[in-house]
Each structure stands twice: as structure tokens, then as C-alpha cells.
Amino acid sequence: MSLLPSNLVPHHFQTLHHPPNPNRGLLYPIPRLPYPRSQTSRILCAKRTGKQRYPSEKKKLKQKQKKTLTLTPVDNKFEGVWRLSKLGVPVHSDPGKDFLGLSPGLLQEIAKVLEFPVASMLPQDAFSIVRKSFDARKMLKEPKFVYTVDMDVSKLLSLEPRTWDFISRLEPKLGLIEHMPNERASGDLISIIHDSKKNPKDIVTRENGRNIYSGSEQSYKCPTIKKTKIAVVGSGPSGLFASLVLAELGADVTLIERGQAVEQRGRDIGALVVRRILQLESNFCFGEGGAGTWSDGKLVTRIGRNSGSVQAVMKTLVHFGAPKNILIDGKPHLGTDRLIPLLRNFRQHLQGLGVTIKFGTRVDDLLVEDGHVVGVRVSDSRDKLQFNSQKLGYDGVVLAVGHSARDIYQMLLSHNMVLIPKDFAVGLRIEHPQELINRIQYSALATEVYKGRGKVPVADYKVVNYVNREDEGPSSNSGATGRNCYSFCMCPGGQVVLTSTNPSELCVNGMSFSRRASKWANAALVATVSTKDFETLGCRGPLAGVEFQMEFERKAAIMGGGNFVVPVQTVTDFMENRLSVTSVPPSSYRLGVKAANLHELFPIHITEALQHSISTFDKELPGFMTSEALLHGVETRTSSPIQIPRNTDTYESTSLKGLYPVGEGAGYAGGIFHRIFFGQGSECWSCEVLEANLVVSSVTDASHKRKAWKCLNCFNLNLTVGLEMKKNQGIMYFGVH
């Protein structure tokens, strides 16, 4: 795979290392990819969510796929790869969710597509499974495992020549059969970068105005220049992948994390759960791996699970210890128990690259000169008074903090940075017995779950409801025309955990281990909120959303009685606005629960929106509204309450030069990816190397308008980060979602 994502550093970084280039204004066309980007239809998984797409989305998708098929006629059916999608194998004919090979049942489905008479004669080596998911929707005659399979034509013909006639009759079918003449397998990010850093052969360079030919046996020489020093603040997914890419490309990287490494962090979380001791800088939110380490470890994305870009990220996780089934599972999931050793391997690899990792180190301030960030001021995170702070100089700072680092937002405001309040969602976390969810989703097949060790996956759900203002009731004064209510971060076989970072505040989240063997299933039920909602509580200014969150977190702590006890209410009581005197159902939350009327928690319009949605969800999932279900308060940190504006070309902060906000804390984790583009170019923008095989360009949009090409030797001196992701036409990217 010859494509890699991120971006070039802004101009002030470039001038730091290179003299002005009189020829840099020359523009050269970006070459077209030598192969088309694959278009893969979505595979439906085990959930009952009504319409899978809005009608307008379905229409656009079909039009796009029809156009793709029209523009790419099959010139030679006997080369490349055929992708066969939506191959359904009934449960009784499949070995189960943990089997990732080609079963006789799957070969039967492949034979039907090829119209090949004897399925057992098809050679298994010619087929590779791209994706496997489970579909148990009630509209189906029977539940089935759904596969996407790639068929290597040349290998198939060499192993079974009698398939020639059947391949000759094969035609593309919308969403079912697709021909990819030049499909290339992607590697992990590390191998992609290593392959791209190899010296190009037969390079023509310019030296003193003359062209010099460098044969394939010679190496390209580039002036030795001091490495760019980059600070990456935060060791969540964005920070870790930023450090990885920058270090692999040659930067001098320092990774600064306020929390502790996973080993010590695990002990701190244990002290919280057992002895109620909250370490303010090492807890469920702060520490190596970010908040997701002690969460569900979901790897689901909406940007194209079968694309080479996403597969490159998945393979990087496998490289660091994730099980290989995440490359195929329709809903890949790691779990906290697998994330911990993976992060340890990730850390050791970064240290092997020379990355300096500072755990237990809090960034207290940015060092700014003439509007440029030139470093950071840090202190020991246990030192609240910042007595032993020190200043560290850097060429650039990647701000990859999570959305719970509220002190960072305050610090940014002190530099007059622009922070924009952003919509997010608040609500409650609902918990059911997992066996109940299994019965709702699978009916008689629920007995096949066996606490994550059975033939079918532990059942989950995803529900969405749009609530009109009229549905919120006459008491609504939010000023909003309506709001979405939906389930969020559903954790089958999981538990409810504390995500507070302050003893006077209370908020919860869900987590699960790899087997999802707990007897409970939990999910957040949340309603979207906007600046109009913030204003009704008197919350204004750039951090209005943060104040809005804190208002409910403090109230939940008071309702629970302190000591991290969570206020709870059964779903039936919540729907009837009453508080039963009898005991509440058992909860997976280990710090204790207390019966409370959760109607006292939110403004009435949010409460009524949640009530209306629960009633709707019960129609879609009969049995969802039950006295066995328990609502926990409060869930407020669904996404960042602010967004940090940045340049659309360089991803640099619009307020401070040299600062690169990325990830969830910056408000960009909703499917937006930064990217670097590797391809073919005519001339390096900086050193004027001609016809380099591997050069880098900043790509700003689908039209591939080029900002500047650079050979890898020069690019190593002008590094930037792009660790979020976006799917763009004709280009493959990588990153973290």
C-alpha cells in the first residue's frame, strides 16, 4: 500500500530548516491512482434498529455505486480480485462467531454466486474472508452469519481450471459482486512507513544547477539537519498514533501524559473501586491509553471497515498484540484486559524509536512568543501548587488531550484562543440483565450465547429516536425544535464504572472485558443538547458546555449522598415519575447505588425527551421498558463540549501558530481524518529532487489540489500530525477514530 495519511507542517516550520526556493511556485498535476478505490456495501449486523438508513442516504448510496459500476467496466475478468458481499450462512451451517475460516456452508454460498455445481471442489486457498458479521434481525427467515469474501482469480484458475467458464459469465452486481483489477493488500502503519522510506531508484537530482543521474546502486544524499522536536500532549489514541508516525518518520518526539502508565493506573483504579480513593490525575479518564483503556475497546467505524486505510490501523493494533479476528469481525472489540498488554507493547515500541515518555507530568501552560508556541511548562501531576515546574522548548506541540481535561481549556482561554461551544448529549446509563437482551434480540437462539463463549455473539442493540418539541411536552422551554435521543457506547456483558475526575462531581460510563461475560448489559441513553439548552441554565461563553456538564455532575453527586454512590431509578418508576420504597434491582456499579427520583436531575424538557424515547425503544425492542432495568445518573461526557478552530489545510490552530489540536478533546473525533498522501511526483518542493518515487503532498479536498510535494528526506524535517481520519474519494488514509 503506497498511501499514508497526515499533512505537511505550516510554512513557518519549513522556513526553519530550508532557505526559500525560487521554484516552489511551480505546480505539477497529482497523478491518478493506478487502481480504483474499492466500494464495499455495508453488511448488516445483529441489531434491530428499524430502517438502517434514511431514504435519501439509500438513494445517494445506490446512485454512487451505480455510477462506480458504470465508470469501471470489467475489461479482463481473469485478473485481479472479485469481491463477493452479503454471503449469508445460516447459523446451523456455520461453526460460529469465533471461526474465521472457510466453512462448507460458506463455500456453498460462494458456489451459488459463481453458479459452480460442486462447492467442495472450490479451492479454499483462492478465497480470503474480508468481513464476518451476525445478522439476527426479525425480518429474516433465520439468523445468519454474513460474509464478505475476496476471490483471487489467478489463484483460483491455477488451482481449479474448470472455473474458467463460470468466471467468464460473472458480472458485477450492485452491492453484491465487485471486480477490483488491481486490489492491493495493506500492511500495518509501521511497514507502510518503512516501505515508503526506502531510497527511490534511478533518481535524477539537481546539484549546482546541473542534472546528475544517480543509479539504482547509489543512495540519495540529503543534508543532515537537526531533527524537528515535537511535544505530543496526551497518550490517548490520537496521541499514541501521532507519536508513532512522527517518530517513525524521524522526529524527536516527547509524549507527555498527566496520568500513569497502565500498570500503576490499574492499581490506582483498584484503590478507587475498593477503597474509594480517587487519584485526580490517574483514574478511569486520565492515564496511558486515555479514557478508552478502561472502557469497552470498541473498534467500530463509520468510514469504511473494509478499506485499506482502516485495515492498516487494525493491522497496527494486531502488530502490538490485538487478536487477528479484529481484522474480520463486523463489530471488532478488544476489551480492557486486551488493551492493557497492547498498550504496554505500544509504549515499548515508541521507546525503542527514541520517544521520550513523561508519565505523571501535567502541562500547565504553553510557552508563546510572538503568537507562536515554542514549548510547554510542565510539572509533576501530583504537585497541585506547581512548585517544581519546568519549561521545555519544542518546534511544535500536538494537543491530543481528552475532553475531560477541563483545566487545559481554561489554560487555552488565558492565551485568548478561540474555543467554540459544541453540541453534545447528556442522559442516563441504562442497565438490563444480559439474558434479557439476548432474548429480545435472538429469541430462541439466546441459549447459544453462553456468556460470550457460545456460537453467536453476546447480543447488543443500537436505538435512535427523534423527539419533536411537541413530544417533549408543554413544559418544554428549551427553544429547540427537537432533539435526537439515542443509545451510546452500548456494552454487552459489561459493567457501569465511575468516570469522575473531581470528588464533588459524579458521572458514569460503561466498560467490558474481551469475553463480555458479565451478567449485565448497559448503554447510555442520551439526548442532544445545544447552546440554547446551555443558556436556559445561565451557562454562557466559550465553556458553556463544560459548565452545563458540571451542573448535572454536581447534582448527581448530591443525589447519591456522596462517596461516589450513584443515584438510580428503575425504568418503570422513571416513566411514571415515582420513587418506589422497595429495593432497586442489583447493579454492576461497585461503589454503591441509591434510589432517587431522576426527574430532579435534568430540566423537564430533557427528562420528557428521554421518557418519550424509552417508550419508542420499547416498541422496537419489546421488553426494553421493564422493572428489571435500572437507570444510573449521570452520563454527560459523550463528546467534547468545545471545538478548537484550526486551519483546514495545515490543521494548525487558527489562534496560535505551532499548536495542532487533534482528537476528542479538540472536538474532531467525529470521523475527521488528517492525512499524508504518498504517491508519484515530479519534483521535491524543497530540495528539487526530480522524479522521486515517493513524495508527500498536502491534500485539502477531493479534487486533490496540491499544496507542495516533498521527498521523504525533506518531509522528515517538516513533520506534522494527522491522527484523526476522514474518508475521501480516491485516497486511502489511516488514523484513529
Side-chain angles (χ1 to χ4, degrees):
M1 178 177 173
S2 60
L3 302 176
L4 191 70
S6 197
N7 203 47
L8 295 182
V9 170
H11 179 65
H12 75 273
F13 269 25
Q14 300 169 2
T15 55
L16 182 66
H17 301 295
H18 299 287
N21 184 349
N23 297 320
R24 67 184 179 188
L26 297 175
L27 294 179
Y28 295 88
I30 292 180
R32 297 177 64 84
L33 291 176
Y35 57 93
R37 180 179 176 84
S38 68
Q39 302 290 331
T40 306
S41 297
R42 180 184 179 213
I43 302 298
L44 300 176
C45 300
K47 58 187 177 185
R48 235 177 121 237
T49 60
K51 295 181 179 179
Q52 298 300 316
R53 295 182 187 270
Y54 291 111
S56 59
E57 292 178 329
K58 291 182 179 179
K59 184 177 180 180
K60 289 180 181 179
L61 180 63
K62 289 182 178 179
Q63 288 176 345
K64 181 179 178 181
Q65 291 175 325
K66 286 180 179 179
K67 183 178 180 181
T68 301
L69 292 176
T70 303
L71 294 177
T72 56
V74 180
D75 295 326
N76 189 345
K77 298 180 180 180
F78 303 100
E79 66 176 18
V81 171
W82 285 88
R83 177 159 289 178
L84 313 178
S85 301
K86 298 184 180 179
L87 301 174
V89 180
V91 173
H92 62 80
S93 300
D94 193 280
K97 63 178 176 58
D98 295 324
F99 181 79
L100 303 178
L102 275 86
S103 65
L106 179 56
L107 287 175
Q108 287 283 356
E109 296 302 317
I110 295 173
K112 289 179 183 178
V113 174
L114 299 178
E115 298 181 358
F116 192 75
V118 185
S120 59
M121 294 177 62
L122 292 174
Q124 294 191 16
D125 291 343
F127 303 94
S128 58
I129 298 176
V130 176
R131 192 173 186 190
K132 178 178 181 177
S133 56
F134 185 60
D135 192 347
R137 291 171 297 157
K138 301 299 186 290
M139 67 179 71
L140 303 176
K141 292 182 179 179
E142 59 179 336
K144 58 181 64 177
F145 287 95
V146 183
Y147 291 83
T148 299
V149 174
D150 280 354
M151 179 177 70
D152 188 320
V153 180
S154 60
K155 188 176 291 186
L156 177 60
L157 290 174
S158 65
L159 296 174
E160 181 49 79
R162 285 169 289 189
T163 58
W164 193 94
D165 288 338
F166 301 93
I167 296 173
S168 66
R169 296 195 294 267
L170 201 59
E171 295 292 342
K173 292 183 180 179
L174 183 63
L176 299 175
I177 304 174
E178 178 188 5
H179 183 246
M180 299 176 290
N182 295 296
E183 181 69 9
R184 297 181 180 180
S186 64
D188 60 65
L189 301 183
I190 299 169
S191 64
I192 292 172
I193 296 173
H194 287 183
D195 291 343
S196 301
K197 287 170 67 176
K198 293 178 181 178
N199 290 326
K201 297 181 180 181
D202 300 328
I203 297 178
V204 177
T205 63
R206 287 180 181 175
E207 184 175 341
N208 298 325
R210 295 182 301 169
N211 292 339
I212 298 176
Y213 176 83
S214 299
S216 59
E217 299 301 322
Q218 297 177 341
S219 61
Y220 167 66
K221 297 180 180 179
C222 183
T224 302
I225 302 178
K226 184 181 178 181
K227 288 183 176 181
T228 302
K229 291 185 66 177
I230 304 290
V232 178
V233 183
S235 68
S238 288
L240 287 172
F241 274 83
S243 301
L244 174 66
V245 175
L246 290 168
E248 288 284 0
L249 289 173
D252 181 0
V253 180
T254 300
L255 178 58
I256 303 172
E257 168 57 51
R258 70 194 301 164
Q260 298 296 329
V262 286
E263 296 87 352
Q264 179 58 46
R265 187 182 178 191
R267 290 189 284 271
D268 293 336
I269 289 175
L272 171 61
V273 173
V274 177
R275 300 194 299 275
R276 303 177 189 271
I277 301 174
L278 174 64
Q279 297 292 336
L280 300 183
E281 306 288 357
S282 180
N283 44 57
F284 279 98
C285 286
F286 298 146
E288 187 176 18
T293 305
W294 266 266
S295 185
D296 197 48
K298 297 182 185 70
L299 299 173
V300 179
T301 175
R302 297 185 296 274
I303 66 166
R305 269 282 289 114
N306 297 336
S307 68
S309 54
V310 175
Q311 285 293 301
V313 176
M314 295 293 194
K315 289 177 181 178
T316 304
L317 296 176
V318 171
H319 176 85
F320 290 124
K324 291 184 178 180
N325 64 355
I326 68 170
L327 304 177
I328 295 175
D329 284 348
K331 292 183 177 181
H333 163 258
L334 286 173
T336 294
D337 51 324
R338 286 175 174 166
L339 276 168
I340 292 173
L342 184 154
L343 287 168
R344 187 183 299 117
N345 295 336
F346 207 131
R347 181 209 315 156
Q348 292 171 353
H349 181 83
L350 291 178
Q351 291 172 332
L353 293 173
V355 175
T356 301
I357 303 179
K358 294 178 176 293
F359 289 116
T361 303
R362 182 182 57 243
V363 171
D364 300 316
D365 202 1
L366 299 174
L367 305 181
V368 181
E369 295 180 3
D370 298 326
H372 288 69
V373 175
V374 296
V376 293
R377 180 166 62 83
V378 300
S379 62
D380 189 317
S381 59
R382 293 167 295 184
D383 180 11
K384 297 181 181 180
L385 300 179
Q386 305 175 18
F387 283 135
N388 299 314
S389 64
Q390 56 180 317
K391 297 179 179 180
L392 305 175
Y394 296 100
D395 298 315
V397 175
V398 179
L399 191 65
V401 298
H403 58 54
S404 291
R406 294 166 172 169
D407 56 334
I408 292 291
Y409 297 153
Q410 293 284 357
M411 179 268 290
L412 295 177
L413 283 179
S414 70
H415 290 281
N416 297 318
M417 281 193 62
V418 176
L419 303 181
I420 301 175
K422 185 175 73 65
D423 296 356
F424 54 100
V426 298
L428 307 166
R429 184 153 287 265
I430 187 170
E431 186 171 68
H432 293 83
Q434 181 62 56
E435 290 185 357
L436 173 63
I437 300 300
N438 293 341
R439 291 196 302 269
I440 291 174
Q441 295 289 59
Y442 296 161
S443 300
L445 199 62
T447 56
E448 296 289 340
V449 173
Y450 295 121
K451 292 187 177 181
R453 290 177 168 80
K455 194 171 187 178
V456 300
V458 179
D460 63 359
Y461 60 83
K462 184 177 182 179
V463 285
V464 181
N465 181 48
Y466 180 76
V467 182
N468 292 314
R469 185 176 179 184
E470 297 77 31
D471 296 327
E472 291 183 356
S475 56
S476 173
N477 60 353
S478 66
T481 57
R483 66 184 78 245
N484 285 316
C485 293
Y486 56 94
S487 61
F488 172 78
C489 187
M490 197 277 159
C491 299
Q495 56 186 288
V496 179
V497 297
L498 176 74
T499 53
S500 300
T501 52
N502 187 312
S504 64
E505 299 164 356
L506 187 65
C507 59
V508 295
N509 189 25
M511 68 160 284
S512 64
F513 294 103
S514 56
R515 275 294 177 185
R516 291 174 160 169
S518 164
K519 60 182 180 180
W520 288 286
N522 69 75
L525 292 184
V526 293
T528 54
V529 291
S530 64
T531 53
K532 293 182 179 180
D533 296 293
F534 307 158
E535 291 170 358
T536 60
L537 291 185
C539 302
R540 293 177 175 82
L543 300 185
V546 175
E547 296 175 13
F548 189 79
Q549 291 174 327
M550 294 171 64
E551 171 71 19
F552 302 123
E553 292 174 6
R554 294 192 193 104
K555 190 178 292 186
I558 294 172
M559 293 175 65
N563 223 11
F564 306 118
V565 175
V566 166
V568 297
Q569 188 175 19
T570 64
V571 170
T572 50
D573 282 357
F574 179 76
M575 296 300 291
E576 298 176 9
N577 191 13
R578 68 180 184 185
L579 183 61
S580 299
V581 295
T582 57
S583 60
V584 296
S587 168
S588 66
Y589 182 73
R590 295 178 60 182
L591 291 172
V593 297
K594 176 183 177 182
N597 188 349
L598 298 181
H599 279 246
E600 300 173 3
L601 186 57
F602 292 115
I604 188 63
H605 54 275
I606 295 179
T607 301
E608 290 177 348
L610 292 172
Q611 282 181 303
H612 182 273
S613 296
I614 290 173
S615 178
T616 302
F617 298 156
D618 187 64
K619 296 175 183 177
E620 193 169 350
L621 301 172
F624 188 84
M625 188 168 61
T626 171
S627 59
E628 294 182 85
L630 197 60
L631 292 167
H632 300 65
V634 63
E635 181 106 13
T636 55
R637 305 185 189 186
T638 53
S639 68
S640 176
I642 64 99
Q643 188 173 83
I644 305 174
R646 59 190 188 185
N647 187 288
T648 56
D649 292 340
T650 64
Y651 306 102
E652 186 180 32
S653 165
T654 57
S655 302
L656 287 176
K657 300 296 183 182
L659 180 68
Y660 298 86
V662 301
E664 172 60 31
Y668 292 99
I672 302 174
F673 285 48
H674 299 176
R675 59 269 195 191
I676 331 177
F677 175 75
F678 276 67
Q680 300 260 344
S682 300
E683 182 181 85
C684 176
W685 181 85
S686 297
C687 68
E688 300 180 344
V689 172
L690 292 179
E691 298 180 5
N693 289 331
L694 293 170
V695 292
V696 187
S697 172
S698 167
V699 180
T700 60
D701 53 31
S703 65
H704 301 183
K705 293 181 180 178
R706 182 170 65 86
K707 301 299 289 185
W709 289 93
K710 281 184 178 290
C711 68
L712 279 169
N713 293 285
C714 294
F715 181 67
N716 289 343
L717 309 173
N718 295 275
L719 296 170
T720 188
V721 248
L723 287 258
E724 305 149 77
M725 304 188 271
K726 187 173 184 179
K727 183 179 176 184
N728 206 343
Q729 183 179 4
I731 302 179
M732 291 189 289
Y733 311 104
F734 71 83
V736 179
H737 186 220

